[in-house]
Amino acid sequence: MEDREKERELLAQADGAGDKARVLAMTDRGEQVGAVAVELRGAQLRILRLWAGDYDFSEKPQGETAFFLDTLMRSAASYGETFGATEIVTAFPDFFDFFKARGFEVDDTHAFTPMSTIVRYE
């Protein structure tokens, strides 16, 4: 994210964000429509928080919101792959089986998967 002040504000909302955490923003015609807070810890990419418009996680994501969240998750995976991550882990429980539907394993506290579930070489 280019706007470091805005990035700091978003990271303040992400539980457990360390000093190496970053925010990847998704824009449409110059307007931010979503973001994902990520942090690399060794070979692990941690997804700390997702934002998609005014989505509040109180119901299953549909349509455009689901597309934004999926794109953000995949962007995070690409970021992690670039920096050598071999695993993706969320810092929060799966919501409405969002990650499970994308091949992640889930438990009561988080979702996790090898990087190869999302980033594939053919």
Side-chain angles (χ1 to χ4, degrees):
M1 175 171 254
E2 289 182 15
D3 182 342
R4 295 291 184 228
E5 184 59 35
K6 178 71 173 170
E7 183 175 48
R8 280 191 290 278
E9 289 173 17
L10 290 173
L11 287 173
Q13 299 172 35
D15 291 335
D19 24 333
K20 294 188 180 184
R22 296 301 310 261
V23 173
L24 308 176
M26 180 178 183
T27 59
D28 183 25
R29 296 175 225 188
E31 183 176 328
Q32 185 175 319
V33 295
V36 58
V38 297
E39 185 171 41
L40 292 165
R41 289 195 183 163
Q44 198 177 72
L45 173 77
R46 297 187 71 232
I47 297 177
L48 304 172
R49 176 122 188 224
L50 288 162
W51 297 269
D54 59 359
Y55 179 63
D56 65 3
F57 297 89
S58 64
E59 58 187 34
K60 185 175 182 172
Q62 301 289 323
E64 188 174 76
T65 300
F67 171 76
F68 289 164
L69 293 170
D70 185 73
T71 300
L72 289 162
M73 180 271 303
R74 292 176 188 284
S75 296
S78 180
Y79 175 87
E81 175 73 12
T82 297
F83 291 101
T86 59
E87 180 182 27
I88 307 168
V89 177
T90 67
F92 48 86
D94 192 8
F95 56 97
F96 303 105
D97 292 330
F98 177 82
F99 289 102
K100 187 175 183 180
R102 285 148 182 86
F104 284 64
E105 293 183 50
V106 300
D107 62 22
D108 292 341
T109 62
H110 70 302
F112 50 97
T113 193
M115 187 63 70
S116 61
T117 302
I118 305 302
V119 179
R120 297 188 181 114
Y121 295 104
E122 305 217 11

